[in-house]
Amino acid sequence: SDFIFQAMFAATAATIISGAVAERIKLGSFMIGATIIVFIGYPITGSWEWGTGWLDRMDFADFAGSSLVHAFGGFSALAAVIVLGPRRGKYLEGGKIRPILGHSMPLATIGVFLLFLGWFGFNGGSVLSADAAGVSFVFVTTAMAACAGGLASIFISWIVLKKPDLSMALNGILAGLVGITAGADVIPVWSSVIVGLIAGVLVVFAILFFDKVKIDDPVGAISVHGICGIWGTLAVGIFGGGIFGVQLLGTLSISAFAFVFSYITFTLVKMVCGLRVTEEEEFGGLDIGEHGQEAYPDFGPASH
């Protein structure tokens, strides 16, 4: 059971990458790169803490993986996006950014709430026992941080973007969840609210920053998991009794390793078998180009 539980953590590192490279990567190339990263890269940094490695001996604290899972995935995604490049037509001349909207915000909302629910297993299961007091405490800090993150991102986007942006709100919920993950077992309940609020603010500005520097991340995965993963790890040193310097060293080491390992991996995959679909496939849709069928046939030419 511990193997399956940890395997889900490892798989999460790969799924974080998948969101950032969406709409322009070859399926086969992604699967090869993700397999190498999860099979080799993830266990290396995981062993530093959860395998009684050098970070564990320094009393580094990462309860359920703000750094070991989320920052690892986020900075692996950053490297993959840099190697892959932005979607065609995303960044225009004169510094203009063309929005490429998601096809269904209701489905995106459902997806985030599924993640919210799953996080109770992600964090609650990390207690590694059925201890009622321990599990219930983690449930409360997890929920409070998530709600605080969502509210913070709503109000910040309302101020900065002039509207309470739904995509920012959804990413704010996830940001709060990522932020509390490292210290869900030790950060007091009201402090978890602060952790979530700060994560919700950070994610809005991080998403805007990466767009400004032409790092094309369709779902904000780098901001949610990478930036807020670092914040959550540092928060243990501020609110949870951890050693701040050790927390900083640990999260930067994990993030740097993930970035370098992923950059090398996807560069090699690009050299050997290519990484990106053709321009025709990208504009036509990867459902047809990569899978040979329409995702929504009722809305395509074949339905007429």
Side-chain angles (χ1 to χ4, degrees):
S1 62
D2 187 55
F3 166 75
I4 291 297
F5 184 62
Q6 294 298 335
M8 296 305 101
F9 276 42
T12 299
T15 60
I16 291 167
I17 301 170
S18 70
V21 299
E23 299 189 334
R24 73 267 203 210
I25 196 169
K26 290 182 178 180
L27 177 62
S29 298
F30 169 75
M31 293 176 72
I32 293 169
T35 300
I36 294 170
I37 288 167
V38 172
F39 189 65
I40 301 173
Y42 176 86
I44 291 173
T45 52
S47 71
W48 292 351
E49 165 63 9
W50 293 335
T52 64
W54 67 277
L55 284 176
D56 183 60
R57 292 191 293 273
M58 294 179 68
D59 292 327
F60 176 72
D62 191 355
F63 173 64
S66 283
S67 283
L68 292 165
V69 177
H70 296 285
F72 182 95
F75 283 93
S76 291
L78 175 60
V81 168
I82 290 173
V83 175
L84 183 63
R87 289 168 290 176
R88 291 178 174 89
K90 173 68 175 177
Y91 302 112
L92 309 176
E93 292 182 5
K96 294 182 179 179
I97 301 171
R98 173 176 164 260
I100 302 177
L101 303 177
H103 82 287
S104 173
M105 291 312 295
L107 278 180
T109 304
I110 291 170
V112 167
F113 277 101
L114 285 171
L115 284 168
F116 195 160
L117 177 63
W119 229 282
F120 291 114
F122 196 96
N123 283 2
S126 293
V127 176
L128 300 180
S129 75
D131 175 62
V135 173
S136 59
F137 181 84
V138 168
F139 278 8
V140 173
T141 56
T142 298
M144 296 297 280
C147 294
L151 286 170
S153 61
I154 287 171
F155 287 113
I156 290 298
S157 66
W158 211 333
I159 294 169
V160 176
L161 304 175
K162 312 305 179 187
K163 294 287 183 181
D165 187 273
L166 176 58
S167 64
M168 289 294 189
L170 297 176
N171 275 328
I173 293 171
L174 297 178
L177 289 164
V178 171
I180 198 58
T181 290
D185 62 329
V186 293
I187 292 177
V189 173
W190 278 108
S191 296
S192 73
V193 175
I194 298 172
V195 171
L197 287 171
I198 294 173
V201 173
L202 281 174
V203 76
V204 173
F205 288 109
I207 289 171
L208 295 175
F209 168 78
F210 283 118
D211 245 356
K212 189 172 183 179
V213 297
K214 300 184 178 180
I215 300 293
D216 185 17
D217 178 2
V219 301
I222 300 166
S223 303
V224 168
H225 300 277
I227 302 303
C228 293
I230 288 177
W231 158 240
T233 309
L234 296 178
V236 179
I238 300 171
F239 302 104
I243 305 167
F244 187 85
V246 173
Q247 295 299 109
L248 179 62
L249 173 64
T251 193
L252 293 181
S253 299
I254 293 163
S255 301
F257 180 91
F259 178 85
V260 173
F261 190 91
S262 182
Y263 191 91
I264 293 171
T265 298
F266 280 106
T267 298
L268 291 174
V269 172
K270 182 178 181 179
M271 291 169 58
V272 174
C273 52
L275 199 60
R276 190 166 180 140
V277 298
T278 65
E279 185 173 350
E280 291 74 22
E281 286 179 305
E282 186 171 340
F283 284 117
L286 271 63
D287 50 345
I288 297 173
E290 288 286 284
H291 304 281
Q293 54 187 167
E294 293 183 18
Y296 306 96
D298 290 343
F299 300 96
S303 63
H304 300 297

